[in-house]
Amino acid sequence: MSGNREFTLQFSPLGGYEAEGYGYFANVSKDRLTIGHFFSTLAAPLYILGYWHLGQMFIKGGSKVHGWIITLLGGYAFMVGNAWLGGRIYLALTAHEIADTTDSNFVLQLQSLLSEFGAHNEPLVNALRLAMVVVSILWIWRIALGKTLYPRWVALFSPAVILGAIFATYFTGLSIGVWLLPAAMNVVHLIIFSISIYAVHRQYKKLNL
């Protein structure tokens, strides 16, 4: 699953994900960066299938327009997210070079280059986050009204709520946050897709009683 590979790419046992300069990447070995880069970017398009599945749960439950919005917006967002993810390796390798360099002038040049990389990379993940807000609004609204195949309690597990909880664990100092944050969006979707599969299983059992 791409979440495991994104974790491989970005996990730093010392944390520091929020610090400027991407210094935490220097705590990730180059071998781990390479493995995480290729596997995470190659696996990310599988999210299109995941969002098609979520959309069908809305469409077949009576929310046709909203289901297609979720399908198309989710698929598009993760294509943009994949472009963001593919760019992390260049930030990481530059951060490694900065950590390994003693020439102060060269370090300044590398830091300027890293800043330029970041300025072109970070806006892409903001598009993904915005899409997750829209999906979360539709998720809570339509499921709470009973206009999907999901039971109403699933509305509590919107992507935005789960993502907020993950960030809260990190910024409140809980040790598990260091492990969850590097692949936060993937943890969110592991939970969402697992709940959805469970709901499909329950629905199938009802139809066959």
Side-chain angles (χ1 to χ4, degrees), residues 7 10-17 162-184 187 190-191:
F7 176 85
Q10 300 203 101
F11 171 67
S12 165
L14 302 178
Y17 307 116
I162 300 172
L163 187 62
I166 291 171
F167 273 85
T169 63
Y170 179 76
F171 287 106
T172 55
L174 295 176
S175 58
I176 194 173
V178 175
W179 294 80
L180 294 177
L181 198 65
V187 173
L190 174 62
I191 295 171

Side-chain angles (χ1 to χ4, degrees), residues 4 24-25 27 41 52 58 71 83 104 121 127 141 193 196 198 207:
N4 294 332
Y24 71 91
F25 274 127
N27 299 319
T41 51
W52 176 85
F58 279 70
T71 300
S104 58
N121 183 254
W141 173 31
F193 294 148
S196 188
Y198 171 76
L207 293 174

Side-chain angles (χ1 to χ4, degrees), residues 94-115:
T94 306
H96 263 272
E97 197 65 29
I98 290 171
D100 295 340
T101 300
T102 57
D103 185 328
S104 58
N105 290 327
F106 189 42
V107 167
L108 288 175
Q109 292 177 353
L110 289 173
Q111 288 174 335
S112 177
L113 181 62
L114 186 65
S115 178

Side-chain angles (χ1 to χ4, degrees), residues 74-146:
Y76 172 78
F78 270 92
M79 290 302 94
V80 175
N82 199 28
W84 170 80
L85 190 59
R88 305 306 280 175
I89 187 67
Y90 308 112
L91 297 169
L93 292 176
T94 306
H96 263 272
E97 197 65 29
I98 290 171
D100 295 340
T101 300
T102 57
D103 185 328
S104 58
N105 290 327
F106 189 42
V107 167
L108 288 175
Q109 292 177 353
L110 289 173
Q111 288 174 335
S112 177
L113 181 62
L114 186 65
S115 178
E116 289 291 329
F117 282 158
H120 288 81
N121 183 254
E122 296 303 339
L124 297 176
V125 77
N126 291 330
L128 177 57
R129 290 167 180 160
L130 179 60
M132 289 302 96
V133 170
V134 175
V135 169
S136 293
I137 292 171
L138 295 177
W139 182 275
I140 295 170
W141 173 31
R142 305 309 293 176
I143 295 176
L145 289 177

